[in-house]
Amino acid sequence: AAAGAGFRVSPNPSSTAWRVEGVPTGAAARLTDLAGRTLWTGTVPAGAFSIPAHSLPAGIYLLDVSSAAGRQAVRLLRQ
């Protein structure tokens, strides 16, 4: 599992979806490719959420999470 300073992502790598846990409620999450294109955005409802990966091509993606506590990013691998 990949870990940011305050959240965890599993499984990583994934072919179906990533589960993100330990995120502050109300945080903004954004998934981008390495070119910086936004592929998914969401607001965390209650500390955990899932990001679908099944429709994305294999490769490396960046998950950026911003909250009142700060901003953190982690690399995600789509198999």
Side-chain angles (χ1 to χ4, degrees):
F7 64 91
R8 297 166 306 286
V9 180
S10 63
N12 191 24
S14 179
S15 59
T16 55
W18 294 285
R19 174 90 177 146
V20 184
E21 299 175 324
V23 180
T25 299
R30 181 169 63 113
L31 182 71
T32 62
D33 62 16
L34 292 181
R37 290 182 296 247
T38 298
L39 305 172
W40 179 91
T41 59
T43 301
V44 180
F49 61 98
S50 292
I51 301 172
H54 56 83
S55 63
L56 298 172
I60 297 171
Y61 298 89
L62 298 175
L63 174 63
D64 187 5
V65 176
S66 299
S67 71
R71 181 175 173 187
Q72 299 166 7
V74 66
R75 284 182 169 218
L76 302 181
L77 179 61
R78 163 65 165 94
Q79 287 184 319

